[in-house]
């Protein structure tokens, strides 16, 4: 039965959130159907290029340094070396490799990334709100967001309060997202549900509804720090939530699966899903992103193979 | 003593039809005489059921179906056992009927009653077990729970054997009803006088009206109407006339009613299998 | 009402230029060899028909002739039945049950090994999408032989310790919608129980049955145990009427099923029938809607709707009808109709020109009657071959022909209901009784509905699922008997 929850927004207005049930088995059947599409030849090339444009190239390690982030930004701007670009340039199928959508870093690295990407259209995204656990006081989490924004972040990836969510305190989850949204100012807000901790698709759907009602511009599966991270079925649940939300409100929300998408084949499965569930309208970096780090190189390898007919070896492409 | 022409003035019993739990006369007003065995003495005038009585009985059996088939198996079992008790209580009347109209010996008659009681008890005890014996949980591949259960076929028409066999008759009726079917029974002329005590057994066993309906009449006149009726879901033909069997099969084609031939005379599982339909249900296993 | 995304909603103009239309991905036909002229498989040998007549079998994807098939006449049928009788009384019945099982296991294995070849041939001959023949039909064929193989030496467990014996020679007539799978459903249980068979595949889809003949030969099954004869109605009639056939098993239309039933009236032949349906798919308001949409689509558009148990009537609760129909329309736009050999095709070719004409006629009549019709506008169909867009009719009256007659195509009739009682009453308002679907997240309602539906197969929160261990078959005019599982053996044995 559809779950209906009554909450209040920051203006004290009643907000009614309806979340339909999900049948896991049929959901998986549909999800599997996307992985069985055969995407070859030109359609594969087009898809690979499109995937690059949708990547939030990510580094979120305790060991991140300024140097590492600078290298990542360089990779974001020039995914392949100029040397290789020159080698491929003459070949018939080759088009210049596009830049990724964004670079995603911790708040302390926003300034570094911003500087490194100056003059490009590549966005700087930052995980804030005490990523990944979010288990510190709200005040501190909001400050985290404000700091990232003032350092120049274009996009904020927040984590929801899973503790409150699992305890059934949906009002707190909603309030916090609203407050983070306010703290974001002009920055776009991606709300990470951390689906791997929510355990059922019904809960993923409910969390998606709460996030969208509270002001998310994007909803995002995972931090990448919890297994399972993004999966096709969980992304499908969220996409269908987005579509229903659009039908109901006219508001267009974006989707970002993150974590676990390591190769081009997987990425194409996601693209197929977006294409078939949402239609071509959502096949744009404005509305669909991959949160990934090693994905880019695998896509580049596939492009190399498509263009040259040879399988690439790992060292053709820089690690970051 | 029930004989009309007996040398006494006891009140004779009028043997009527048994439809919908009531004892109506045939709407046609017709009757046929049943004679005392090997004599010209009329034992009773039985109702000679008409086409309309058949129609009436079938529609009543049909309306009794939902209620009867949704009763708990335990409840059907209790009612069947009650029939055994009532048959025992009416033993003298059954024996008298068999002796008078069929020329059975006392011993034979008692044996027939014993068989009938055995059949009622047997199916009373089977009503809540056959599902476990012939149903199944099926090990399908994939995340689904899958099970098969037997269900009532629906309205069953029974054309009785012209060689009267009380054990067979009760075996048939008990097997048909124990799985939730309702029945319209056309007794053969031979032995039709059993209708009186048998109907009283049913009428006093807490059996809902319409579950079992008993008609007496002429097989030749009525079998076609039983076989061709579109609301009859299954027809069991115990009479041995090859012409009747062929016609029944032919008429059954119109609604593809199930035709049951050569069902065993004795109680057993096959008699249940012959009057059930299997339903298989799938459901996903997931969260 | 239909709030599908339109170009007006673009956030940034020009960003939707990207059209993700998968390039053609045709399955190779290299592994498939098709004989120009095909013979009959009788008594373990490939033999010419006595009539000398042939007929064409067509690839429905493009209307081109694939091969010629022998038209078996009464004499050929007689040869096949005699061969089966001889095998039944000779080699086959002398085999230890476990040996019978070995042959079936062997057949299953060869089918698995040659699965790609078989799948491609099935798609070429039938028109079904390669992804279905590859991922559904052929794996199920192998699974069916595998399942019944194991029963061959365990028949004493069928009836709780009572011995059973085979019936003799079975004449088996199968339809064109799942050609090889139906052959497996027929042959596997018959052989496991110790019978011998004469199989007649449908005249438009005989090629995989003939390939099965090769596989049976390759498996070393003794001659005459399985005989495969090709031909149309007359051949089937000769088989049904042959006096030395003990049992007929037929899958096909209710109309032909009744003809067969009539022709066995004066015989002692046993008969099982797996016939048509007009199955209801009930969606309650508390269903998981997106998955219910998926189920409805799968229920009616799987195999072009050429499925006897297709969920051809959608009964949707009035409170969610509009949103459900909107979702259904949107989902239908992503169905890819086209070349069955393309790995991305969801809906393939209608099996024959005749069938296409029949379905189109029923659609045209319903449109003429003013019933609300929908087909996805953007869907395009190939120029050559027999194709049809998936479609539905909305707000259909229970008395409408498209609500009562089996269409056997990708045509859905939608009705609404307000209460469970009404849903059940409408679902049961049919002369058929093959299958039904129920969507609800409330367990008790599912069980109540499942118990009340007069149908042999109930799919709750799913649809069109099949398994060799799961009995299949219908109530009322959907047929007699069950196939699959333990119950599927009962029609092939006598209880001692």
């Amino acid at each position: 039965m559809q779950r209906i929850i009554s909450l209040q927004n920051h203006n004290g207005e009643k907000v009614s959130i309806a979340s339909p049930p999900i049948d896991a088995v049929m959901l998986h059947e549909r999800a599997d159907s996307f992985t069985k599409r055969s995407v070859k030849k030109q359609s594969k090339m087009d898809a690979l290029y499109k995937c690059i444009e949708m990547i939030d190239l990510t580094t979120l390690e305790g060991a991140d340094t300024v140097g590492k982030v600078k290298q990542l930004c360089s990779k974001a701007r020039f995914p392949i070396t100029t040397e290789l670009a020159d080698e491929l340039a003459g070949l018939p199928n080759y088009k210049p490799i596009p830049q990724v959508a964004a670079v995603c870093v911790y708040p302390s690295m926003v300034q570094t990334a911003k500087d490194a990407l100056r003059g490009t259209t590549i966005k700087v995204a930052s995980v804030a709100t005490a990523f990944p656990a979010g288990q510190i006081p709200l005040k501190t989490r909001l400050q985290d967001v404000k700091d990232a924004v003032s350092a120049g972040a274009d996009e904020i990836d927040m984590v929801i309060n899973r503790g409150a969510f699992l305890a059934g305190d949906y009002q707190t989850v909603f309030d916090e997202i609203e407050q983070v949204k306010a703290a974001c100012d002009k920055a776009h807000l991606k709300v990470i549900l951390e689906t791997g901790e929510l355990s059922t698709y019904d809960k993923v759907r409910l969390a998606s509804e709460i996030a969208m009602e509270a002001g998310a511009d994007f909803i995002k599966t995972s931090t990448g720090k919890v297994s399972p991270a993004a999966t096709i079925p969980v992304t499908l649940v969220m996409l269908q939530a987005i579509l229903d939300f659009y039908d109901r409100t006219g508001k267009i929300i974006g989707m970002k699966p993150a974590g676990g998408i390591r190769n081009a084949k997987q990425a194409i499965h996601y693209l197929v899903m977006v294409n078939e569930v949402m239609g071509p309208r959502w096949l744009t970096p404005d509305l669909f992103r991959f949160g990934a780090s090693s994905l880019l190189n695998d896509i580049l390898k596939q492009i190399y193979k498509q263009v040259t007919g040879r399988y690439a070896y790992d060292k053709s492409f820089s690690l970051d | 003593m029930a004989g009309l022409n007996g040398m006494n003035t006891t009140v004779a019993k009028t043997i009527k039809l048994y439809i919908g739990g009531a004892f109506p006369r045939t709407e046609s007003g017709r009757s046929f005489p049943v004679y005392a065995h090997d004599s010209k003495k009329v034992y009773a005038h039985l109702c000679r059921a008409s086409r309309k009585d058949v129609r009436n009985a079938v529609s009543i059996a049909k309306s009794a179906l939902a209620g009867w088939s949704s009763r708990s198996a335990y409840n059907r079992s209790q009612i069947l056992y009650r029939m055994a008790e009532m048959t025992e209580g009416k033993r003298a009347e059954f024996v008298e009927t068999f002796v008078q109209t069929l020329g059975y010996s006392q011993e034979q008659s008692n044996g027939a009653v014993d068989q009938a009681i055995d059949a009622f008890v047997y199916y009373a005890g089977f009503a809540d077990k056959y599902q476990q014996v012939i149903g199944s949980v099926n090990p399908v591949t994939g995340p689904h729970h899958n099970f098969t259960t037997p269900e009532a076929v629906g309205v069953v028409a029974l054309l009785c054997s012209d060689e009267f066999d009380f054990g067979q008759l009760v075996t048939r009726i008990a097997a048909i009803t124990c799985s939730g079917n309702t029945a319209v029974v056309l007794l053969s002329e031979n032995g039709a006088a059993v209708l009186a005590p048998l109907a009283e057994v049913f009428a006093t066993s807490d059996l809902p009206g319409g579950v079992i309906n008993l008609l007496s009449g002429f097989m030749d006149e009525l079998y076609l109407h039983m076989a061709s009726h579109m609301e009859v879901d299954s027809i069991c033909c115990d009479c041995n006339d090859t012409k009747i069997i062929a016609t029944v099969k032919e008429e059954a084609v119109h609604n593809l009613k199930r035709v049951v031939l050569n069902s065993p005379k004795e109680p057993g599982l096959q008699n249940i299998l012959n009057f059930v339909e299997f339903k298989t249900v799938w459901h996903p296993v997931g969260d | 009402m239909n709030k599908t995304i339109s170009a007006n909603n673009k956030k940034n103009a020009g960003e939707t230029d990207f059209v993700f239309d998968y390039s053609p991905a045709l399955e190779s036909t290299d592994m498939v060899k098709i004989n120009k002229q095909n013979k009959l498989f009788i008594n373990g040998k490939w033999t010419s028909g006595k009539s000398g007549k042939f007929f064409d079998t067509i690839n429905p994807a493009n209307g081109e002739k694939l091969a010629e098939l022998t038209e078996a006449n009464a004499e050929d049928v007689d040869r096949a039945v005699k061969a089966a009788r001889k095998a039944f009384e000779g080699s086959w019945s002398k085999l230890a049950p476990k040996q019978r099982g070995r042959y079936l296991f062997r057949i299953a294995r060869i089918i698995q090994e040659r699965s790609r070849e078989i799948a491609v041939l099935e798609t070429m001959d039938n028109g079904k999408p390669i992804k279905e023949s590859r991922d559904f039909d052929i794996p199920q064929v192998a699974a069916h032989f595998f399942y019944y193989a194991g029963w061959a030496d365990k028949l004493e467990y069928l009836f709780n310790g009572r011995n059973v014996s085979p019936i003799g020679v079975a004449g088996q007539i199968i339809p064109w919608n799942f050609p090889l799978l139906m052959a497996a459903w027929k042959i596997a249980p018959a052989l496991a129980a110790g019978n011998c068979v004469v199989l007649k595949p449908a005249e438009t889809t005989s090629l995989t049955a003939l390939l099965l003949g090769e596989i049976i030969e390759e498996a070393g099954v003794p001659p005459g145990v399985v005989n495969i004869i090709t031909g149309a109605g007359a051949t089937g009639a000769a088989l049904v009427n042959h006096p030395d056939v003990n049992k007929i098993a037929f899958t096909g239309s209710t109309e032909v099923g009744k003809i067969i039933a009539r022709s066995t009236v004066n015989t002692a032949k046993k008969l099982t029938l797996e016939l048509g349906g007009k199955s209801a798919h009930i969606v309650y308001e508390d269903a998981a809607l997106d998955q219910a949409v998926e189920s409805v689509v799968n229920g009616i558009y799987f195999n072009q709707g050429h499925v006897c148990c297709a969920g051809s009537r959608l009964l949707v609760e009035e409170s969610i009808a509009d949103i459900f129909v909107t979702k259904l329309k949107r989902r239908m736009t992503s169905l890819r109709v086209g070349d069955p050999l393309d790995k991305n095709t969801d809906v393939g070719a209608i099996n024959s020109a005749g069938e296409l004409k029949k379905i189109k006629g029923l659609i045209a009549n319903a449109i003429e009657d003013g019933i609300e019709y929908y087909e996805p506008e953007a869907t395009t169909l190939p120029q050559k071959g027999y194709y049809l867009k998936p479609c539905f009719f909305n707000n259909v009256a229970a008395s409408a022909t498209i609500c009562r007659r089996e269409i056997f195509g990708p045509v859905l009739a939608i009705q609404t209901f307000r209460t469970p009682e009404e849903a059940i009453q409408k679902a049961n308002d049919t002369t058929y009784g093959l299958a039904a679907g129920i969507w609800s997240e409330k367990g008790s309602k599912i069980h109540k509905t499942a118990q009340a539906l007069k149908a042999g197969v109930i799919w709750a929160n799913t649809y069109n699922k099949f398994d060799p261990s799961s009995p299949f078959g219908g109530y009322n005019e959907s047929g007699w008997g069950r196939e699959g599982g333990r119950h599927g053996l009962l029609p092939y044995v006598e209880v001692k």
Side-chain angles (χ1 to χ4, degrees), chain B residues 5-6 43 51 80 94 98 160 169 189 198 236 272:
Chain B
N5 294 357
Y43 171 79
R51 173 172 60 82
L80 281 159
F94 279 112
F98 298 152
C160 293
L169 174 64
E189 290 158 61
L198 189 56
C236 176
I272 290 180

Side-chain angles (χ1 to χ4, degrees), chain B residues 30-33 47-49 186-187 189 216-223:
Chain B
R30 302 176 307 176
S31 66
F32 64 99
C47 288
R48 183 178 154 195
L186 179 59
L187 297 161
E189 290 158 61
S216 53
F218 293 171
M219 186 64 67
D220 278 349
E221 180 192 352
L222 296 179
Y223 80 90

Side-chain angles (χ1 to χ4, degrees), chain C residues 361-375 391-404 407 411-415:
Chain C
L362 286 160
I363 292 174
N365 289 345
I367 291 174
E368 206 168 289
D369 290 345
I371 307 174
E372 187 188 327
Y373 174 74
Y374 173 82
E375 61 176 33
C391 65
F392 67 72
F393 287 93
N394 201 1
N395 296 313
V396 182
S399 57
T401 305
I402 48 164
C403 221
R404 308 204 73 82
I407 297 177
V411 185
L412 176 69
I414 304 178
Q415 295 176 277

Side-chain angles (χ1 to χ4, degrees), chain C residues 53-342:
Chain C
K53 285 187 193 157
F54 293 90
F55 60 98
D56 293 345
T57 187
I58 304 291
N59 180 349
N62 53 26
E64 286 165 15
K65 174 172 157 181
L66 279 173
E68 289 179 7
L69 304 173
T70 297
E71 188 183 314
N73 67 9
E75 208 179 327
D76 299 318
V77 169
D78 186 54
R79 288 193 292 141
V81 172
K82 283 203 169 95
R85 173 64 56 194
K86 197 173 147 222
F88 178 68
E89 280 164 4
S91 56
W92 196 236
S93 58
K94 289 192 186 102
L95 271 182
K98 132 180 134 174
Q99 299 297 337
R100 279 203 315 268
R102 293 280 168 88
Y103 284 117
L104 290 168
F105 279 124
R106 218 184 264 174
I107 293 169
R109 271 290 188 258
I110 299 173
I111 288 165
Q112 287 174 325
E113 284 160 11
R114 297 178 69 176
S115 63
R116 185 55 58 92
E117 171 195 1
I118 303 169
V120 173
L121 180 62
E122 192 76 303
T123 283
M124 291 170 77
D125 201 20
N126 168 279
K128 67 175 63 211
I130 184 70
K131 75 168 184 187
E132 287 178 13
S133 50
R134 180 194 66 200
D135 299 341
F136 175 74
D137 288 59
I138 309 309
Q140 283 285 306
V141 171
H144 231 85
F145 278 106
F146 214 87
Y147 176 82
Y148 280 110
W151 265 116
D153 58 354
K154 296 164 196 74
L155 297 174
E156 65 270 30
Y157 297 105
L158 258 186
F159 277 101
N160 302 293
R162 293 184 70 181
N163 286 325
V164 298
S165 57
I167 289 172
V169 174
Q172 307 180 315
I173 299 174
I174 56 170
W176 47 261
N177 57 343
F178 296 94
L180 193 61
L181 183 54
M182 291 301 103
W185 281 29
K186 293 283 179 283
I187 294 175
L191 264 51
N195 302 279
C196 292
V197 308
V198 178
L199 176 87
K200 188 200 86 69
E203 64 270 27
T204 60
T205 55
S206 299
L207 292 177
T208 46
L210 294 171
L211 183 55
L212 180 62
E214 280 179 29
I215 288 167
I216 284 166
E217 207 180 0
E218 193 184 328
V221 177
V225 172
V226 176
N227 305 274
I228 300 170
I229 54 170
T230 50
T235 312
L239 180 57
V240 168
N241 294 322
H242 195 289
D244 203 28
V245 168
N246 306 102
K247 184 202 156 52
I248 299 290
F250 170 77
T251 297
S253 71
T254 294
E255 189 189 348
V256 175
K258 286 181 176 180
I259 295 171
I260 291 174
R262 276 198 188 93
S263 54
T264 60
V265 158
N266 287 304
T267 72
K269 283 173 195 167
K270 287 178 179 286
L271 180 58
T272 44
L273 302 169
E274 208 276 89
L275 308 175
K278 192 78 197 177
S279 301
H281 209 144
I282 299 170
V283 181
Y284 287 116
E285 65 173 3
D286 56 6
L289 286 194
D290 286 314
Q291 288 75 47
V293 167
E294 204 51 36
S295 179
V296 167
V297 165
N298 177 41
I300 183 64
Y301 304 124
F302 176 61
N303 202 36
Q304 298 73 246
H306 300 327
V307 185
C308 50
C309 52
S312 53
R313 290 186 293 145
L314 167 62
L315 298 173
V316 58
E317 193 155 351
E318 207 171 290
S319 54
I320 53 157
D322 286 344
I323 188 168
F324 195 84
V325 169
T326 302
K327 281 174 179 283
L328 178 62
K329 283 179 178 174
R330 182 182 281 154
R331 177 67 180 88
M332 285 167 73
T333 59
S334 67
L335 288 174
R336 302 170 67 91
V337 187
D339 188 339
L341 279 173
D342 191 316

Side-chain angles (χ1 to χ4, degrees), chain B residues 134 151 249 258 278-280, chain C residues 450 453 456 458 475 479 482 487:
Chain B
I134 60 179
E151 278 191 354
K249 285 169 83 177
R258 283 78 179 120
F278 286 102
K279 177 182 276 179
T280 298
Chain C
L453 290 173
I458 309 287
Y475 286 34
R482 293 292 177 271
H487 300 83

Side-chain angles (χ1 to χ4, degrees), chain A:
Chain A
M1 193 74 193
Q2 172 151 290
R3 182 127 187 226
I4 296 173
I5 293 163
S6 283
L7 302 175
Q8 274 191 349
N9 68 12
H10 61 283
N11 293 325
E13 293 157 354
K14 202 181 152 201
V15 176
S16 181
I17 287 171
S19 179
I22 307 293
D23 180 78
V25 173
M26 188 59 89
L27 178 80
H28 283 203
E29 284 178 33
R30 178 95 203 267
D32 284 348
S33 76
F34 306 125
T35 68
K36 290 193 175 148
R37 290 300 191 203
S38 176
V39 178
K40 296 271 148 57
K41 301 174 192 146
Q42 190 57 44
S43 62
K44 182 174 182 181
M45 278 295 271
D46 293 346
L48 292 170
Y49 276 80
K50 184 54 76 179
C51 287
I52 293 176
E53 289 175 33
M54 291 170 159
I55 291 176
D56 282 4
L57 198 59
T58 303
T59 184
L60 297 169
E61 302 298 332
D64 283 350
T65 60
V66 168
K68 158 100 197 228
V69 170
K70 281 183 173 170
Q71 279 182 45
L72 191 77
C73 291
S74 169
K75 179 87 178 169
R77 298 176 69 170
F78 309 107
I80 58 172
T81 60
T82 39
E83 205 178 15
L84 185 56
D86 289 346
E87 182 196 327
L88 300 178
L91 297 170
N93 281 329
Y94 183 72
K95 285 190 305 188
I97 303 294
Q99 294 176 337
V100 300
V103 165
C104 183
V105 294
Y106 272 118
S108 59
M109 294 295 169
V110 169
Q111 190 63 59
T112 305
K114 198 69 193 169
D115 291 344
L117 296 171
R118 203 169 302 283
T120 73
T121 56
I122 301 171
K123 304 277 197 290
V124 173
S126 182
V127 292
T129 65
F131 181 93
Q135 293 282 27
I136 58 172
L138 176 63
K139 197 176 144 197
T140 322
R141 280 181 272 153
L142 291 172
Q143 193 55 50
D144 195 19
V145 173
K146 286 172 190 159
D147 291 346
V149 173
S150 59
D154 304 294
E155 301 171 354
I156 295 296
D157 291 21
M158 72 167 284
V159 289
I160 65 161
N161 187 334
R162 283 92 75 193
F165 181 86
L166 292 170
D169 183 2
Y170 307 118
Q171 184 67 56
T172 295
V173 178
F174 185 88
D175 288 346
E176 291 183 359
I177 298 170
E178 274 197 320
Q179 291 184 57
V180 171
K181 173 73 178 171
C184 279
D185 194 19
K186 282 178 188 154
H188 271 235
L189 175 62
K190 305 190 197 111
V191 177
I192 302 171
L193 309 182
E194 196 66 300
T195 54
E197 289 183 346
L198 302 187
S199 116
T200 68
Y201 295 117
D202 289 338
K203 289 201 162 83
V204 170
R205 175 74 194 223
L206 177 59
S208 303
E209 300 284 351
I210 292 172
M212 291 188 294
E213 282 291 348
D217 296 301
F218 263 70
I219 49 177
K220 175 176 169 183
T221 58
S222 322
T223 59
K225 305 295 181 192
V226 167
S227 183
T231 63
I232 296 261
V234 90
T235 306
L236 177 55
V237 169
M238 293 166 72
L239 286 173
Q240 284 172 328
I242 289 171
L243 205 50
D244 284 346
F245 189 74
Y246 171 78
D247 282 349
R248 206 163 62 237
T249 65
K251 289 182 198 153
I252 298 177
I253 308 293
M255 175 69 211
K256 178 176 172 184
I261 306 164
R262 294 191 183 85
N263 60 51
K265 192 174 179 178
Q266 285 174 297
I268 290 176
H269 294 159
Y270 278 89
L271 217 60
V272 165
M273 170 163 59
V274 174
N275 188 42
E276 297 195 16
V277 177
M278 315 298 281
R281 176 68 194 92
W282 256 265
L283 285 175
T284 150
D286 287 346
L287 293 175
F288 191 78
R289 297 279 181 84
F290 290 108
S293 41
S294 58
L295 172 64
L296 177 58
N297 269 357
D298 193 67
I299 293 176
L300 294 172
K301 272 197 225 172
Q302 295 297 321
I303 292 176
Y304 181 90
K305 165 68 176 58
Q306 293 284 313
V307 172
T308 66
R310 294 190 301 277
Y311 287 104
Y313 58 149
D314 288 344
K315 53 193 164 182
S316 303
F317 309 99
S318 59
L319 280 177
D320 51 31

